[in-house]
Amino acid sequence: MKPRHQRVEPFAMASSPVESPTSGPPTASDAIGSRSLAPCYTSRIWKTLRDRLPSLNSSLLAKISHIFRRGTPAHRHRRRRSGLPLPLHSSATMSSSIAARASRASIMLEDIMEYVLCNLHNVQKSLHFWQSRAEGTNVRKIYFMIFERGPLAFIDGAYEMISRLGPGGAPFQHLSHAASNTISHKIASLTILRRCLADFLAQVYLEVNKYGGTLIEDDDKSLPFVLMAINSLFLKLEASISQAHELLVVHNSDQSSVDQNGSYVLHFEKIPEADLEISQWTETNIRDTTDLIYQNIQRLESYFSFILSTCQKPKRLTLYWLHYTCGAVGLSLCSVWLLRHSSLMGSSDIDNWICEAKESAAGFLKDHVEQPLVSIRDELFETFRRRHKGVMEIEEVQLTAESLHRMLLAFCEQTKGQKLPENIPDQEMLEMVMARYEKEVMHPLQNLLSGELARAMLIQIQKLKLDLETAMLELNQILKANEINFAILAALPAFFLSLLLLVLVRAWVIQDKGAEGRGRVARRKRRLLVVEVEKRLVQFQTCMDEGKEDDARCLYGLVLCSLDRLYKAVERHAKETGEWISLRQDIVDLAKPDLKTIYKLTVTSRMGRMYDCLLPSSKRQ
């Protein structure tokens, strides 16, 4: 084993650009490295102090060292959000204490998976945006170049259009060509970055799958192998990204935009312990190598942050700046108008409008909410105890009918000169009256004074009164029978208004947050994730059959990214329905590299048919 004072520190390589002033202009890797020089030098000072004080309690030094390392940027471990688990192959017969122990390697691998999946997801979102813009018409591309890139781009686009309005200028064709070049360049850059990240993700997952069993059973012996494998993968990623930038420079005609990104070179540090045998690794070597890998993670994150800042999807504020500007102008004008009618300017218009609004709202609530509800309550609970007196009662109609019967009976007995029975029908007596009335009408003036014409007319008036009262009685009964219906009709405006407010509040509270929401849109996105996994599995198998191992490995990384998104989207819903254990196992099976594609396609088909959180809305019943 080498002496400690002869061991090469990994942080010495990070400061190499400072020691060579003639090395050329600073690159992005130098800028990234300079941000981590302070904790690196502090770490070196701490290790020197630790070596100079060997007599102190080693456990106390270990605790202080642990607290110190947690404070450095390289060890600020964020708790990873629940996502696609690592294939650690924990045995069911293993003790619970060993199985629950989060090893240093698993924490580091989870951090790498989190950073890579997050960057890969951002790249895919930006790539989908630019692909949708590339599929649009020329008018849509021109609109994007002028109105969806911010106010400065709007001014530049308008000026360029005006300057090319002369003969032979063709401003619209120029803008369309510029938009196509810009979009195609961003698509090419993002496609290459996605390929590099997906390939790196697949290789990391395969390495974890290779050492998964030993990482839990024997963490100390397997950790050096994992650290060396991860470091070699970082170096391969550096080479693939450098090659990708060279391809962009060669094949892209817009050299200025490529040169702007090509001047920033990603550079990872190589662990000096790679020349040591596994048996010679000490705890210090493992800790220093872990620090170096975390430093490489930070460099990767900073590099992709810079690259994505030049070709990522524009922010919502940039895309809709014109709408927000018009809204701000309209709001300003409305504010000025309100200020002119406010009490600050000596006007009482707003106070009067507020009072009128209060009165209108109170009247609406009273007419369409309070009174209909009171009427419904009275109709439902007091129908058999209290009834309001109607316009016409049945007793009054009975009195009018009896009076008409007596008048008819007296008239008929007088005109016939004989006694009639009491139970003679009114209709028969009315026929006698009408027959006498027809005779009397033949001499109206004579019979009006000395005949029975006036008496017959009064009997007919009494008959009309009885018919009118009977009709009013029936109408009153109809109104009483439909009181609850009229009350409900009066309350319908308030009901529909309340329903509208309830729908708006529900849509605001329960929003479809991507594929993790609760609505039909979120359910459709979860099903599309399953379709995406299935399509990429088929493409992966096709590349494997054709011998394209590099393309197959890239597609496998994209499958892992889609499975991670699906895992996060269905976890909460599957736990609510009790399907999470089975669904989680299916997702883990889809990520296993040693399972055949035909079995994985069977799993995706079953997932879309069996699990409630992945069923279409129309089939949930």
Side-chain angles (χ1 to χ4, degrees):
M1 184 180 297
K2 293 182 180 180
R4 177 172 296 183
H5 65 276
Q6 294 179 356
R7 185 176 57 83
V8 180
E9 298 291 343
F11 300 106
M13 300 183 66
S15 59
S16 57
V18 182
E19 297 172 0
S20 56
T22 61
S23 59
T27 61
S29 60
D30 301 329
I32 297 170
S34 62
R35 287 196 294 267
S36 59
L37 286 178
C40 292
Y41 286 126
T42 310
S43 177
R44 184 180 300 176
I45 293 172
W46 164 250
K47 284 185 288 186
T48 304
L49 179 63
R50 181 190 59 194
D51 295 337
R52 296 296 180 88
L53 298 175
S55 60
L56 292 180
N57 188 358
S58 60
S59 62
L60 177 61
L61 282 176
K63 293 180 181 179
I64 298 175
S65 177
H66 177 68
I67 296 174
F68 171 76
R69 291 199 309 270
R70 287 177 61 89
T72 58
H75 286 273
R76 288 177 185 171
H77 171 68
R78 295 179 300 176
R79 184 178 180 182
R80 184 190 176 204
R81 183 186 174 189
S82 179
L84 183 65
L86 295 172
L88 296 178
H89 310 301
S90 59
S91 177
T93 59
M94 192 179 304
S95 63
S96 59
S97 60
I98 297 177
R101 182 168 59 95
S103 65
R104 291 169 294 180
S106 62
I107 293 176
M108 179 189 64
L109 293 172
E110 285 180 356
D111 289 340
I112 295 175
M113 291 281 290
E114 179 183 6
Y115 288 132
V116 176
L117 286 171
C118 181
N119 287 322
L120 186 56
H121 181 56
N122 293 334
V123 169
Q124 289 202 108
K125 286 197 302 184
S126 300
L127 184 59
H128 291 163
F129 172 80
W130 294 115
Q131 287 175 346
S132 64
R133 288 295 184 269
E135 295 173 357
T137 61
N138 292 333
V139 177
R140 187 69 183 85
K141 294 177 181 178
I142 294 173
Y143 181 85
F144 168 75
M145 292 293 291
I146 298 178
F147 297 106
E148 293 184 348
R149 295 193 302 151
L152 295 179
F154 171 76
I155 296 174
D156 294 339
Y159 174 77
E160 190 169 356
M161 284 187 62
I162 295 174
S163 63
R164 291 178 176 270
L165 286 178
F172 295 103
Q173 294 181 2
H174 176 76
L175 279 177
S176 177
H177 181 69
S180 300
N181 289 338
T182 302
I183 294 173
S184 61
H185 168 67
K186 293 182 183 298
I187 290 176
S189 302
L190 291 172
T191 303
I192 294 177
L193 290 178
R194 183 182 68 170
R195 180 182 179 86
C196 296
L197 276 179
D199 185 78
F200 178 74
L201 176 63
Q203 294 184 49
V204 170
Y205 198 84
L206 291 174
E207 291 294 333
V208 177
N209 184 72
K210 179 180 177 181
Y211 296 101
T214 58
L215 279 176
I216 293 181
E217 297 174 358
D218 195 353
D219 184 20
D220 296 332
K221 293 183 179 180
S222 61
L223 188 55
F225 292 101
V226 176
L227 293 176
M228 294 176 61
I230 295 299
N231 180 73
S232 64
L233 293 181
F234 272 108
L235 298 179
K236 291 181 181 179
L237 178 62
E238 175 186 338
S240 62
I241 291 179
S242 301
Q243 184 180 4
H245 276 292
E246 292 176 1
L247 290 176
L248 282 177
V249 172
V250 171
H251 295 288
N252 198 291
S253 59
D254 189 5
Q255 297 292 332
S256 60
S257 60
V258 178
D259 293 340
Q260 182 182 0
N261 298 340
S263 61
Y264 288 84
V265 180
L266 178 64
H267 176 66
F268 293 126
E269 299 295 344
K270 182 180 178 181
I271 57 175
E273 286 79 359
D275 298 332
L276 294 177
E277 296 182 0
I278 300 302
S279 59
Q280 296 178 338
W281 280 64
T282 62
E283 184 68 24
T284 305
N285 299 130
I286 294 176
R287 183 175 61 250
D288 293 342
T289 305
T290 305
D291 292 340
L292 190 63
I293 290 179
Y294 271 102
Q295 184 180 353
N296 288 338
I297 293 175
Q298 291 178 353
R299 291 180 178 231
L300 179 64
E301 185 179 14
S302 301
Y303 176 79
F304 272 96
S305 298
F306 168 75
I307 295 298
L308 288 178
S309 65
T310 60
C311 56
Q312 68 179 353
K313 172 185 175 181
K315 296 181 180 179
R316 186 177 180 86
L317 183 62
T318 305
L319 286 174
Y320 301 102
W321 71 272
L322 188 61
H323 303 75
Y324 294 146
T325 302
C326 295
V329 172
L331 184 62
S332 301
L333 296 177
C334 182
S335 301
V336 172
W337 181 79
L338 289 175
L339 183 63
R340 292 180 58 186
H341 292 273
S342 65
S343 58
L344 297 176
M345 303 297 293
S347 176
S348 60
D349 293 340
I350 294 182
D351 296 334
N352 296 334
W353 294 339
I354 293 176
C355 293
E356 293 177 1
K358 288 182 179 179
E359 294 176 358
S360 300
F364 177 83
L365 292 175
K366 183 176 181 181
D367 296 339
H368 297 281
V369 178
E370 182 181 355
Q371 291 182 353
L373 291 178
V374 172
S375 300
I376 293 173
R377 183 200 63 187
D378 295 341
E379 183 66 22
L380 291 177
F381 299 103
E382 301 183 13
T383 300
F384 302 101
R385 291 184 296 173
R386 178 176 61 84
R387 283 282 192 178
H388 294 288
K389 185 176 180 180
V391 178
M392 184 60 58
E393 299 294 336
I394 190 171
E395 290 81 5
E396 298 180 4
V397 179
Q398 187 66 28
L399 290 175
T400 304
E402 292 175 357
S403 176
L404 177 61
H405 181 77
R406 290 192 298 270
M407 293 173 64
L408 291 172
L409 185 62
F411 183 83
C412 293
E413 288 178 351
Q414 184 176 356
T415 54
K416 292 291 185 180
Q418 60 182 1
K419 187 71 174 177
L420 298 178
E422 291 290 337
N423 58 353
I424 185 172
D426 291 348
Q427 185 63 30
E428 185 178 348
M429 291 188 291
L430 280 175
E431 293 177 357
M432 297 179 186
V433 172
M434 294 306 297
R436 182 72 179 186
Y437 177 75
E438 291 175 0
K439 292 181 181 181
E440 294 287 335
V441 169
M442 297 178 64
H443 304 283
L445 294 177
Q446 179 182 354
N447 293 328
L448 183 62
L449 297 175
S450 59
E452 301 292 337
L453 182 59
R455 191 177 178 185
M457 293 176 62
L458 292 175
I459 291 174
Q460 293 186 49
I461 293 174
Q462 185 69 10
K463 179 63 171 62
L464 291 175
K465 178 184 177 185
L466 177 63
D467 294 340
L468 181 62
E469 290 180 353
T470 303
M472 292 180 65
L473 178 63
E474 293 178 355
L475 180 61
N476 189 32
Q477 291 176 350
I478 293 174
L479 292 176
K480 286 184 177 181
N482 291 275
E483 281 183 357
I484 187 171
N485 296 334
F486 295 139
I488 292 175
L489 288 176
L492 281 181
F495 172 76
F496 286 122
L497 182 60
S498 303
L499 183 63
L500 178 61
L501 292 176
L502 181 62
V503 170
L504 294 177
V505 171
R506 181 181 180 275
W508 178 70
V509 174
I510 307 177
Q511 297 180 359
D512 283 351
K513 301 176 181 178
E516 302 180 17
R518 294 181 177 272
R520 288 179 294 179
V521 177
R523 184 177 294 272
R524 188 181 306 116
K525 289 182 179 180
R526 291 195 292 269
R527 290 180 59 82
L528 288 176
L529 283 176
V530 178
V531 174
E532 183 179 337
V533 171
E534 189 173 357
K535 289 171 58 178
R536 286 176 174 170
L537 285 174
V538 173
Q539 295 173 358
F540 167 79
Q541 187 60 40
T542 302
C543 292
M544 290 296 293
D545 296 339
E546 296 176 356
K548 302 178 180 178
E549 296 184 358
D550 294 340
D551 295 339
R553 190 168 55 247
C554 175
L555 287 170
Y556 180 65
L558 295 178
V559 169
L560 294 177
C561 180
S562 300
L563 289 176
D564 182 75
R565 292 171 57 198
L566 181 63
Y567 189 101
K568 296 175 181 177
V570 302
E571 181 178 6
R572 179 167 58 93
H573 305 285
K575 287 181 178 179
E576 292 176 356
T577 57
E579 303 169 334
W580 175 236
I581 297 177
S582 178
L583 181 55
R584 182 183 183 275
Q585 186 60 45
D586 284 343
I587 296 176
V588 172
D589 290 342
L590 290 175
K592 291 180 179 179
D594 51 350
L595 289 183
K596 294 184 178 180
T597 305
I598 185 64
Y599 173 75
K600 294 182 179 181
L601 294 177
T602 305
V603 172
T604 56
S605 177
R606 183 177 70 245
M607 289 170 60
R609 291 184 285 105
M610 297 301 298
Y611 297 110
D612 180 77
C613 58
L614 295 175
L615 288 175
S617 301
S618 58
K619 294 185 178 181
R620 292 187 65 197
Q621 302 298 333

